[in-house]
Amino acid sequence: MEFDINRYFPDEALHSGDSGRASFEEKRPLYLAASKHFLAHYRETIKKRHRSGTPGDEVVADITRMTDTLIVKLFKCIMADMPPVRRRDEQLTLVAIGGYGRGELNPFSDIDLMFLYLGKDPQRIEDIAQKLLYFLWDMRLDVGYSVRTIQDCVEMAASDLTVKTALLDSRYLVGGRVLFKEYQKVLLSQVVAKGSDAFIREKLAEMRKRREKYGSSIYILEPNLKEGEGGLRDLHSAIWVAKIKYKVSSPRELIVKGILSEEELQGYYQALAYLWRIRNELHYLAGRKNDQLTFEAQAKVAEYLGYADSGRVLAVEEFMRDYYLHGTRVEHFSSLMVSKCVVKDVGPLKLLGYFIRRPLGEGFYVLKGELVVPDESVIQKDSSRLMKLFEYAQKQGVVLSLRVKSLIRESLDLVNDKFRRNREVNASFFRILRSEKGVAETLQLMHHLQFLNRFIPEFERIYCKVQHDLYHIYTVDIHSLFAVEEIIRLWKGEHAEDLPLMTSVARDIDKRELLMLAVLLHDIGKGDGGRHAERGAEMVPTIARRLGLSKEDSERLEFLVLHHILFAHISQRRDLNDEKMIVQFARQMETSENLKMLYLLTYADIKAVGPDVWTEWKARLTQELYEKAFQVLERGNFRLEASSERVKKVKRQVLELLGDEYPQAAIREELNAMATRHILSNAPRTLAEHVKVLLALEGRNIVTIVEHDQEGGFSNFTVCTLDVPGLFSMITGVMAANGMNILGAQIHTSTNGKALDVLQVNAPQGFAITDESRWNRAREDLQQVLEGHANVRKLVEKRQRVTPLAERPKPRFPTKVEIDNEVSAEYTVIDIYTHDKVGLLYRITSTLTELGLYIGISKISTKVDQVLDVFYVKDIFGHKVTSERKIQEIQERLYTAIDQE
């Protein structure tokens, strides 16, 4: 594409330097107007080329040439208006550095300029720089600059890694060519040649820090196109390291030196072009510099690239799968390049034997801390050695050499059905899973080399599989591998203090390899859309037969995959004090070993979703369900104890605890007024505290207590008052109006008209609210609402206006309201799935109140932006809701209340 800038700067006499002509300040507005017209015209032309499908590298080259043309023209205009100096052509050179130096400008990229000069007349150089920069800044270009001599560059590069890196990508723009050639010579001899090993070490450390900040996986669900793993910076870092190591100035020289093949270099440029095309679209969509592939941007980029929804697979999910596949190729190229450049740091104590080739058998050797295969034909002779490569490397605690990794990739066609059914192969695979060390790392390496997909073809269905929501941070395959890591951490005792029971259960598992396999495969059904647990379980018998599992192990594996979401479902969304339900759950478990494995799988599954998804609250719920079900299984008879005898026993214990603190008759009166489930669902010591609160209500209209659980990250908020219709709705409204998030709630109403509700509350960000002034406001608001001096609906609406919950678009899924009359003997159970928003819980509870329903139990569960709330309700007569017409009305009213904006 050609850029005719003289169309916009028509009057050459205007800037001829003739003293009789207009001054620079008079001509400046004309220069600026011409520059703006030039930019506006060609920017629009380039954007149209991009939108019509022009490859990313061509668009980037066009933007770079357009920018070069403008900057060079302005520089020459400014120089023409400067007073002449001797050899002025040699005084100053304008150099593009960084991304601009590489010729890699996207629509709104930074432009980094260096004014390189001899060191003479710095005031003149500064004047030229300021004049040029003010032009560029007035055009709203994001320009960074430096004014340096060659010696400045050498000194700054020695002390600043960022400067050294930027100088590696220097490009001549305009000015003194002799000065630039001298700069290049010094750059090569005094910057590139010196401290190469230290530079490489620092660059690798920088890459590690970057991954910690932007996501240590290619497969994070809102990746950063530039800084994230598998992104542009990985490609840049690989070339920077190579430039320093092999003293080259361009990637093509790496072919001449035999470091890269033509095909590998072509792959590098194709990878850049792919990422640039997406980055160009991101910039155009945002109208500014932007590298984050947010959910909203993903959908728009997918549409731009021509992806379309197909059956159960969304266009955006198909696009992101391709993006992650591309990311693995980028990461592979980056690792390959870095491996060729890194000299292993060998301490004197390690030297002995380090350079000696140590035989392992099977034609494998260890050399310099790597597993090597000198005669690669051994793999073709016996393909089972492919699995043994991983086993031996794991056992020896060494890495596979770069050549061995390539050998595995090249030999994947050997992994066929005969290979998968080979007893020796499967025995080797299970030894890997049983090992005390390196299990997660070995599985991740298998995945990275795409060996795992070949060995377990069903796993390929979830390879780079995206779940387009805010809850799942990683792709399905990476989530499964991270879940394996979580189980290993339990075995290592890393959670012995915060999860003692779970750690004990993990160490008590008989067949660790079977649990590991269940964790690895628990989500394989997600490759085919809905009902993933059932679909995954259907695949298990085939996998088990190939792996040579016994009938018993195959059935257990199938059980774990089929029920892997059941434990979380019951613990978070069902009444754990419903003994009938607990017995039914225990029957489903069949054996204690099934229960133990499912408990651990549930933990690993939740923990591997993201860093903040597993909470102290979920830990308590899952532990309570495990302990109750385990007691039933150990008892073995599945019969319920007589509740009347247990109630009497608990009441006696409460009376003993309270002693002479209160009149015995008053304590008995409160205990007798309590519902049976209130008594049986709490420890005697807790009930004693409840009695104290109930007695304190005498002569008052409300009693509140706040107790902080800092470790759990929430506060227990106890509210005691006289029961009124819609009480729970009022409480939830006041909590919403005060920016408080409800994790759970226990609702208790006594026959004497007193209500005692205990809520687990935290901040929406996930920490306990300890600011006493916030609690005082909440108490005051609640009192005003109960006394009729304040309207709860108005309080919530005011909060909604001031603090919208979400600031960025989110992927949407439809609200679901399900009504179940089977799960509970006493209540109708309403399950609600929707997106979180300010005052949502109040909307739901106030609607239930308006429908004449009494809420007996409430289970609140929020997963990032997804809400799964459950309400156990009765009608005004204390019965279940069985009328189909009433059930339909409840659903319709709830849909309306939830989805209104």
Side-chain angles (χ1 to χ4, degrees), residues 83 119 126 159 177 190 239 246 318 454 467 470 526 546 632 637 805:
E126 191 68 38
S159 61
R177 288 189 179 275
Q190 295 188 45
I239 296 300
Y246 298 107
E318 197 60 36
R454 288 298 183 99
Q467 298 173 93
L470 295 185
K526 282 190 173 174
R546 284 202 308 262
V632 173
N637 56 16
L805 186 73

Side-chain angles (χ1 to χ4, degrees), residues 450-467:
Q450 297 193 27
F451 174 85
L452 189 61
N453 289 349
R454 288 298 183 99
F455 181 58
I456 305 176
E458 294 81 358
F459 198 80
E460 189 162 16
R461 294 164 179 256
I462 59 170
Y463 185 64
C464 295
K465 175 71 178 173
V466 175
Q467 298 173 93

Side-chain angles (χ1 to χ4, degrees), residues 404-514:
V404 169
K405 288 179 182 178
S406 297
L407 176 62
I408 292 168
R409 286 179 182 270
E410 291 160 11
S411 307
L412 289 176
D413 60 315
L414 298 175
V415 184
N416 52 26
D417 210 45
K418 183 181 176 184
F419 178 93
R420 297 179 194 111
R421 294 177 185 278
N422 185 308
R423 285 188 180 182
E424 209 174 333
V425 167
N426 289 322
S428 178
F429 180 60
F430 281 113
R431 283 194 292 273
I432 288 169
L433 294 183
R434 272 195 298 270
S435 175
E436 292 291 326
K437 60 181 182 180
V439 179
E441 293 82 354
T442 304
L443 288 174
Q444 284 167 13
L445 182 60
M446 286 179 174
H447 173 266
H448 179 67
L449 297 175
Q450 297 193 27
F451 174 85
L452 189 61
N453 289 349
R454 288 298 183 99
F455 181 58
I456 305 176
E458 294 81 358
F459 198 80
E460 189 162 16
R461 294 164 179 256
I462 59 170
Y463 185 64
C464 295
K465 175 71 178 173
V466 175
Q467 298 173 93
H468 198 57
D469 59 40
L470 295 185
Y471 177 55
H472 294 91
I473 294 178
Y474 306 104
T475 53
V476 181
D477 50 344
I478 293 301
H479 158 75
S480 301
L481 289 164
F482 283 179
V484 167
E485 277 191 61
E486 295 302 337
I487 294 291
I488 291 164
R489 289 193 178 108
L490 285 174
W491 280 331
K492 286 181 177 177
E494 290 182 22
H495 294 289
E497 287 189 19
D498 56 313
L499 297 169
L501 175 65
M502 202 171 282
T503 301
S504 171
V505 170
R507 288 173 173 170
D508 198 33
I509 293 295
D510 288 334
K511 292 188 175 180
R512 290 185 172 189
E513 68 276 16
L514 195 63

Side-chain angles (χ1 to χ4, degrees), residues 485-705:
E485 277 191 61
E486 295 302 337
I487 294 291
I488 291 164
R489 289 193 178 108
L490 285 174
W491 280 331
K492 286 181 177 177
E494 290 182 22
H495 294 289
E497 287 189 19
D498 56 313
L499 297 169
L501 175 65
M502 202 171 282
T503 301
S504 171
V505 170
R507 288 173 173 170
D508 198 33
I509 293 295
D510 288 334
K511 292 188 175 180
R512 290 185 172 189
E513 68 276 16
L514 195 63
L515 175 60
M516 203 65 82
L517 195 57
V519 174
L520 186 66
L521 301 178
H522 75 277
D523 271 346
I524 51 168
K526 282 190 173 174
D528 292 323
R531 296 177 62 82
H532 76 278
E534 290 85 349
R535 288 173 181 275
E538 288 166 7
M539 299 178 200
V540 167
T542 304
I543 298 169
R545 275 195 301 275
R546 284 202 308 262
L547 293 173
L549 291 180
S550 67
K551 186 173 183 290
E552 181 190 353
D553 286 350
S554 175
E555 287 174 353
R556 177 160 288 160
L557 186 62
E558 186 178 350
F559 171 88
L560 292 169
V561 173
L562 178 63
H563 295 299
H564 76 269
I565 54 178
L566 179 65
F567 209 108
H569 173 88
I570 298 291
S571 63
Q572 293 174 37
R573 293 160 55 195
R574 293 294 173 252
D575 177 16
L576 298 184
N577 297 301
D578 183 339
E579 287 198 332
K580 183 182 172 186
M581 189 273 299
I582 295 291
V583 168
Q584 286 173 341
F585 176 73
R587 282 186 193 278
Q588 274 185 285
M589 295 300 100
E590 296 175 355
T591 67
S592 297
E593 193 68 9
N594 282 349
L595 176 67
K596 288 176 183 176
M597 284 194 174
L598 198 60
Y599 180 39
L600 297 171
L601 172 52
T602 301
Y603 163 75
D605 189 14
I606 297 172
K607 193 79 161 62
V609 167
D612 304 317
V613 178
W614 177 262
T615 61
E616 179 71 20
W617 181 242
K618 286 175 186 171
R620 292 182 189 199
L621 293 175
T622 50
Q623 180 166 328
E624 184 180 349
L625 177 58
Y626 171 79
E627 288 176 333
K628 287 182 173 179
F630 188 76
Q631 285 171 8
V632 173
L633 283 167
E634 290 299 289
R635 206 167 60 225
N637 56 16
F638 294 105
R639 280 204 300 271
L640 301 176
E641 293 180 49
S643 62
S644 58
E645 287 304 312
R646 288 175 57 210
V647 167
K648 287 176 186 175
K649 182 181 173 184
V650 172
K651 285 180 178 179
R652 281 197 299 272
Q653 289 174 306
V654 173
L655 282 162
E656 286 170 16
L657 282 168
L658 292 172
D660 298 327
E661 210 174 326
Y662 298 92
Q664 293 281 296
I667 298 169
R668 281 199 181 91
E669 186 181 326
E670 292 298 345
L671 287 170
N672 291 335
M674 282 182 183
T676 301
R677 71 174 311 282
H678 186 171
I679 292 171
L680 295 182
S681 63
N682 289 282
R685 192 168 295 280
T686 304
L687 284 170
E689 293 302 316
H690 287 182
V691 168
K692 288 181 184 179
V693 176
L694 288 161
L695 288 170
L697 188 63
E698 293 299 326
R700 301 164 67 181
N701 66 352
I702 186 171
V703 175
T704 59
I705 297 171

Side-chain angles (χ1 to χ4, degrees), residues 687-726:
L687 284 170
E689 293 302 316
H690 287 182
V691 168
K692 288 181 184 179
V693 176
L694 288 161
L695 288 170
L697 188 63
E698 293 299 326
R700 301 164 67 181
N701 66 352
I702 186 171
V703 175
T704 59
I705 297 171
V706 178
E707 293 169 314
H708 303 302
D709 187 329
Q710 295 280 26
E711 193 178 319
F714 62 88
S715 305
N716 278 302
F717 182 44
T718 303
V719 178
C720 184
T721 186
L722 292 174
D723 193 26
V724 292

Side-chain angles (χ1 to χ4, degrees), residues 91-93 95 114-117 148-150 153 179-180 183:
Q91 291 290 317
L92 175 64
T93 305
V95 182
M114 179 169 70
F115 294 83
L116 186 70
Y117 75 116
R148 294 179 186 141
T149 63
I150 292 175
C153 293
L179 180 60
F180 185 73
Y183 161 76

